[in-house]
Amino acid sequence: MAVQISPSILSADFARLADEAAAVPNADWLHVDVMDNHFVPNLTLGLPVVEALLKATSLPLDCHLMIEDPDRWAPLYAELGAGSVTIHAEASRAPVRTLRQIRSFGARAALALNPGTAVEPYEGLLGEIDMLLLMTVEPGFGGQEFLDMVLPKIRIARALVERYGGEIWIQVDGGVTTDTIARCAEAGADVFVAGSAVYGSADRAAAVEELRVKAATA
Ligand code: DX5
Ligand code: ZN
């Protein structure tokens, strides 16, 4: 399992997004949190900002859609050129169709589960996804405390994915820091989103490297 780090621009300076993307050249992805003030109680950005970011960085975009109608919007992010598009299981009414549409545009398709959503009911969707995102905070805001109660679910997800063939990445998002990343890696996660841990540091690239080392040596 190769460790991948996906810094979340939710904690970046929104007036300087191009510079903030350039500050993490050693990252594997740039995590873009799309929030609609309905699925989560916060509002961030949408397709026009993603379109601008695609021109401003060579990092692939990891778009995490925390919105009420992902079936309508997710394919458009893939069509624009996002490298990965994540929809929430709690919000999608037609996940198979939507995940297939995402893939049809050449993007990786991912399914996200809130902390209180069990993974077992989604085993049947493993063939439709390239990544499973297990939220380690309730989605909506950066800088929240990591929820240890998700760790057993990461282990269950890792076992399901291994049984399936091991090709699906397991991402964690929320409260991932140099203190918590090793626990996630030990439990079986391999893609790590970090917002405040990266963009709250003066040296963003050093923060990415420190997270990577902590995850890789866990
Ligand atoms: C929260 C977002 C996260 C957020 C994580 O709902 O999905 O991507 O940026 O922020 P930190 O790493 O600060 O918990
Ligand atoms: Zn996110």
Side-chain angles (χ1 to χ4, degrees):
M1 273 191 312
V3 167
Q4 299 184 70
I5 307 291
S6 186
S8 167
I9 57 163
L10 184 62
S11 296
D13 180 348
F14 270 31
R16 299 173 44 252
L17 283 182
D19 296 339
E20 295 283 54
V24 290
N26 54 340
D28 300 282
W29 297 86
L30 200 63
H31 185 83
V32 180
D33 289 302
V34 176
M35 304 185 187
D36 66 351
N37 197 34
H38 290 273
F39 181 68
V40 291
N42 196 5
L43 185 66
T44 55
L45 52 88
L47 286 166
V49 175
V50 168
E51 191 171 13
L53 262 176
L54 282 164
K55 292 181 194 138
T57 178
S58 53
L59 282 174
L61 300 189
D62 165 27
C63 292
H64 175 196
L65 307 188
M66 285 159 279
I67 61 177
E68 240 176 23
D69 194 359
D71 303 316
R72 174 176 175 194
W73 296 102
L76 301 178
Y77 287 85
E79 190 177 16
L80 259 189
S84 176
V85 180
T86 302
I87 60 168
H88 266 265
E90 302 85 357
S92 176
R93 293 195 180 90
V96 174
R97 184 178 66 216
T98 302
L99 293 162
R100 288 185 181 185
Q101 284 177 346
I102 293 169
R103 280 180 161 175
S104 76
F105 289 112
R108 296 178 64 89
L111 186 72
L113 304 181
N114 283 342
T117 304
V119 65
E120 292 91 338
Y122 296 99
E123 186 176 358
L125 284 182
L126 290 181
E128 310 294 336
I129 63 173
D130 302 296
M131 183 170 79
L132 190 61
L133 163 53
L134 301 179
M135 291 302 300
T136 41
V137 297
E138 292 290 0
F141 300 94
Q144 300 182 76
E145 199 179 328
F146 180 80
L147 293 173
D148 272 292
M149 52 82 73
V150 181
L151 290 170
K153 186 165 65 176
I154 300 173
R155 291 198 179 88
I156 293 169
R158 174 49 63 192
L160 290 177
V161 162
E162 290 307 317
R163 206 161 71 204
Y164 190 75
E167 291 300 305
I168 299 164
W169 299 344
I170 298 179
Q171 183 178 62
V172 283
D173 181 8
V176 175
T177 65
T178 50
D179 286 335
T180 59
I181 196 167
R183 275 178 262 166
C184 299
E186 275 163 19
D190 50 7
V191 187
F192 304 88
V193 177
S196 45
V198 170
Y199 285 106
S201 300
D203 187 339
R204 281 98 158 98
V208 168
E209 217 33 56
E210 202 183 336
L211 287 166
R212 191 187 298 284
V213 168
K214 283 250 157 67
T217 54

